Amino acid sequence: MIYRVYFICSFASIGGFLFGYEFGILTGIMIMPYFQNDLNARNISEYLLSAMMAGAFGGSLCSGYLADRVGRRGLMCLATIIFLLGGVLQVAADHLVKIYAGRVITGISIGLLSMVVPLYQSEIAPKNMRGRLVSIQQLAIAFGISVSYWIGYGFLDVNSPASWRLPLGIPLVIGLIYAIGILLMPRSPRYLIHRHMDIQALEVLAFIRGDGSLSHPEVLMEYVEIKQSMRFEETYGSKHYGRLFQKGWENNRKRLLLGIAVQAFQQLTGANSIFLYAPQIFQALGIVGGHGTLLANAVSGVINLVFSIPPVFFIDRFGRRPTLLIGTIVCCICMIAMAIVGAVTGLTDNIRAIYAPGGMAADIPREIDINVIGSSINSGGTVAFLVVMYLFIASYALTWAPVGWIFPTELYSQDVRAQALGITTAANWLFNYGVTQITPIMFVTIRWKTFAAYAVVCAVIGYLVYRYFPETMGKSLEEIDLIFSGNFNYYDLNVHHPQTAAAALDILDHAHAYARNSNPLNPQVVEGLFGDLTTPSIGTPAVTPFAQSTKPSTPQVNENSIPLEPITSHSTAPLSSPPLSSPSASLSLSRPPFSPPSSIKSSPS
């Protein structure tokens, strides 16, 4: 039932569309005469953008707590209602104060959506499709940005207050449809199991994975995997918020730093310095007039959208690390090329004269100067700069834009995933704000060296990614949890451990099947399959997952909880023992799923 997962994740990503639309619409709204005259709103776009980012920062900080309290689906619905309130306030505004208030409220909703949508997508996606399904979120963001650019361009000549009220009102219709549709979406199965609502979780897994039957093997295996991982966290994990900042056996501090880093690096590549200040750059290149700058801006939005499509298909084939490294290298080269063109031609020096400290493109004239545009476009320097700039946008859309949202959703265990993603998303908005504030200052003071500075930052980012970032492609969220908690080589793309007792016993079944037609299974063969299962990690109790228990314990479950024994035909792994996914079992596997050892293959029948 793959199409169901695609449809659910695609519909959830409408939240990303609203995010992208609100992020990009200011570029067109701010140069519309009726907006400036009706609200006396000249040279304020920087403040309006800052108001939205402040709201988004606050919203994302609260998002982790709310996602655990009201659920992923509940938070998406709540965020959409907040979005509608902020949108209505902006559309009906007759004073600048109402615009500011509306932007802050809208920003809160965008902060909530920018965290909870990737979280929800990652928790319902199969491990082999998680990257492409979460990357739909970035595709929706790019689509929202592109649509907002073209709407701004299309409404520029409307001679009434509708020129700015309608563009601000369009997302209200989409948001209303989104709020209603969310109620029909399934809840996150991992969240349901976390809340001990096991029957509902199995029903959701059966709907999105199997044929609707609760006894489908894939459904039951995934349920056992999630359940055992959460049971271990509930038994041995700390419950307080501070565990996120502690090392411990879970390595939460390292995971949190990695999540913050990838979100910060996504901004420090310099992409938003291009997107947000494109009007000034285009005007400095000689593309003047409201129509000219907005048209060039709309073209950049189309390029961003078109190149956001391929990651949906290839992101789960090439890995997260290679994608980030290639993107960093290409972005660095493009920044160096833009710095060279700017230094040689002096085109970027014009940004210093054009930039208005109080606003973004607020003073761009609406008329088109044909002579200036013609002489500039025909110059080799302008064409070269535009080509490199659009190449930068394309490379960013292919690499850092999607992976920047995918990677953090894969790093954390269920108990802390929402809280950690709230912090990492807040970091994204914080660095986004920093880039928007410092870039115009850099344009004024160091001019073309601005691009050189971003090139240096990209080079540093590339080294840090190569040195510290693990590979998470193709692994279940529970398997990634095991890798961070154990001593495995998590840079290896081919590491797939039997992360649960159910998976391990499934491999053992294969071994017994071979053994029935050959020599009896001996301890050396078992060790060859699983490594040394009984060697404890330092500071944790020894565990023997396959030891017979003379007095198996009965799990404590509520009326909605399902015991694990009926799900698997094996009873050799007592529920009172920590599951194989715990760090207590020091598995030493670094090979693909079961292949019979040579001692079995070569044995005479």
Side-chain angles (χ1 to χ4, degrees):
M1 301 300 178
I2 297 299
Y3 71 92
R4 291 178 180 173
V5 180
Y6 271 109
F7 178 80
I8 293 168
C9 289
S10 298
F11 188 84
S13 65
I14 292 177
F17 173 86
L18 299 176
F19 166 14
Y21 187 94
E22 289 295 330
F23 190 77
I25 194 62
L26 272 184
T27 303
I29 293 293
M30 286 306 302
I31 70 173
M32 293 180 178
Y34 277 91
F35 181 81
Q36 297 178 4
N37 296 331
D38 291 350
L39 301 175
N40 191 25
R42 290 179 174 82
N43 299 331
I44 63 164
S45 61
E46 179 182 348
Y47 305 116
L48 286 179
L49 189 62
S50 299
M52 191 187 93
M53 290 185 178
F57 177 77
S60 57
L61 280 180
C62 300
S63 61
Y65 172 80
L66 292 174
D68 283 338
R69 294 292 294 178
V70 302
R72 284 55 165 148
R73 189 182 67 175
L75 182 56
M76 284 191 286
C77 190
L78 174 63
T80 308
I81 293 173
I82 296 174
F83 179 87
L84 294 174
L85 293 176
V88 169
L89 193 59
Q90 292 180 78
V91 172
D94 55 4
H95 193 277
L96 200 56
V97 173
K98 294 181 180 179
I99 289 290
Y100 277 115
R103 294 304 288 178
V104 171
I105 294 174
T106 300
I108 293 173
S109 69
I110 295 302
L112 295 173
L113 288 171
S114 62
M115 189 287 288
V116 73
V117 172
L119 171 63
Y120 175 81
Q121 291 171 325
S122 69
E123 289 189 344
I124 70 168
K127 64 181 180 181
N128 61 324
M129 297 171 55
R130 187 173 57 244
R132 71 181 67 176
L133 291 174
V134 178
S135 67
I136 295 176
Q137 163 78 350
Q138 174 57 32
L139 178 61
I141 294 173
F143 185 52
I145 293 174
S146 181
V147 169
S148 70
Y149 286 168
W150 284 105
I151 286 180
Y153 177 74
F155 277 81
L156 185 61
D157 288 329
V158 175
N159 294 317
S160 71
S163 63
W164 64 273
R165 293 188 189 273
L166 276 179
L168 289 176
I170 288 174
L172 294 180
V173 179
I174 301 173
L176 183 61
I177 297 173
Y178 187 47
I180 297 173
I182 288 172
L183 300 177
L184 305 177
M185 295 167 56
R187 302 175 72 179
S188 164
R190 284 179 169 83
Y191 173 76
L192 290 172
I193 295 175
H194 179 61
R195 304 293 290 184
H196 303 290
M197 303 168 69
D198 294 7
I199 294 177
Q200 294 92 323
L202 267 173
E203 291 172 348
V204 172
L205 286 173
F207 176 74
I208 63 177
R209 295 284 191 273
D211 54 4
S213 171
L214 299 182
S215 60
H216 192 281
E218 292 184 10
V219 171
L220 297 180
M221 287 290 289
E222 184 167 358
Y223 169 79
V224 171
E225 178 180 349
I226 299 171
K227 185 70 175 179
Q228 288 185 322
S229 177
M230 291 186 188
R231 181 166 296 180
F232 179 82
E233 291 178 25
E234 292 173 357
T235 304
Y236 296 97
S238 173
K239 301 298 182 184
H240 60 84
Y241 189 77
R243 66 185 287 197
L244 275 174
F245 307 97
Q246 298 173 353
K247 183 178 180 181
W249 61 263
E250 296 174 293
N251 239 337
N252 278 327
R253 184 169 59 196
K254 181 175 183 178
R255 300 194 213 189
L256 184 64
L257 290 175
L258 285 172
I260 292 174
V262 74
Q263 294 271 284
F265 293 167
Q266 188 188 53
Q267 303 301 319
L268 294 176
T269 56
N272 277 342
S273 67
I274 300 293
F275 285 118
L276 292 176
Y277 295 104
Q280 281 86 353
I281 296 174
F282 292 136
Q283 195 176 8
L285 296 176
I287 306 174
V288 297
H291 291 80
T293 54
L294 289 185
L295 179 60
N297 211 30
V299 172
S300 68
V302 170
I303 293 174
N304 182 39
L305 173 62
V306 169
F307 283 91
S308 294
I309 297 174
V312 177
F313 302 98
F314 79 75
I315 201 70
D316 283 323
R317 298 182 181 179
F318 298 106
R320 315 298 188 243
R321 276 169 53 84
T323 302
L324 291 177
L325 288 171
I326 293 173
T328 304
I329 293 171
V330 177
C331 287
C332 181
I333 293 173
C334 290
M335 283 294 183
I336 293 173
M338 284 188 281
I340 293 173
V341 173
V344 172
T345 64
L347 287 171
T348 54
D349 291 351
N350 296 329
I351 302 177
R352 180 176 185 175
I354 292 172
Y355 174 70
M360 179 172 52
D363 297 325
I364 296 177
R366 297 178 70 242
E367 295 76 16
I368 305 175
D369 190 335
I370 300 295
N371 294 326
V372 173
I373 293 178
S375 61
S376 299
I377 292 299
N378 290 331
S379 67
T382 298
V383 173
F385 193 93
L386 285 175
V387 169
V388 176
M389 176 179 165
Y390 287 146
L391 179 61
F392 174 89
I393 293 173
S395 64
Y396 174 80
L398 285 168
T399 56
W400 273 95
V403 179
W405 295 108
I406 296 169
F407 191 75
T409 65
E410 301 176 320
L411 294 176
Y412 309 106
S413 59
Q414 184 66 33
D415 266 3
V416 299
R417 184 174 296 125
Q419 297 171 359
L421 286 178
I423 294 175
T424 60
T425 306
N428 182 290
W429 286 107
L430 183 64
F431 278 85
N432 195 336
Y433 174 79
V435 168
T436 60
Q437 295 301 307
I438 197 173
T439 295
I441 298 174
M442 296 170 69
F443 280 146
V444 170
T445 56
I446 62 176
R447 293 173 282 187
W448 63 265
K449 298 183 184 70
T450 300
F451 302 102
Y454 279 118
V456 173
V457 172
C458 285
V460 174
I461 290 173
Y463 169 76
L464 294 176
V465 169
Y466 178 79
R467 180 68 178 84
Y468 296 107
F469 279 46
E471 181 54 64
T472 57
M473 183 190 74
K475 301 174 177 67
S476 70
L477 298 179
E478 288 69 36
E479 187 174 3
I480 294 171
D481 189 33
L482 169 67
I483 290 172
F484 271 103
S485 302
N487 298 314
F488 304 116
N489 178 16
Y490 52 60
Y491 296 97
D492 184 0
L493 294 176
N494 297 316
V495 173
H496 291 280
H497 312 290
Q499 59 270 28
T500 65
L505 288 170
D506 186 60
I507 296 176
L508 190 58
D509 274 342
H510 288 284
H512 279 296
Y514 277 97
R516 278 194 296 268
N517 297 320
S518 59
N519 292 334
L521 203 61
N522 54 57
Q524 287 74 24
V525 172
V526 174
E527 185 172 349
L529 292 173
F530 298 101
D532 185 1
L533 296 176
T534 59
T535 303
S537 299
I538 298 177
T540 56
V543 177
T544 307
F546 304 116
Q548 291 286 347
S549 175
T550 57
K551 191 176 182 179
S553 60
T554 302
Q556 298 297 321
V557 295
N558 61 23
E559 59 183 2
N560 287 324
S561 183
I562 299 177
L564 298 183
E565 286 93 345
I567 295 173
T568 175
S569 59
H570 306 282
S571 60
T572 53
L575 291 175
S576 58
S577 299
L580 196 57
S581 58
S582 75
S584 305
S586 298
L587 301 181
S588 303
L589 297 176
S590 57
R591 59 177 66 86
F594 172 75
S595 176
S598 57
S599 60
I600 293 179
K601 290 180 178 179
S602 59
S603 299
S605 56

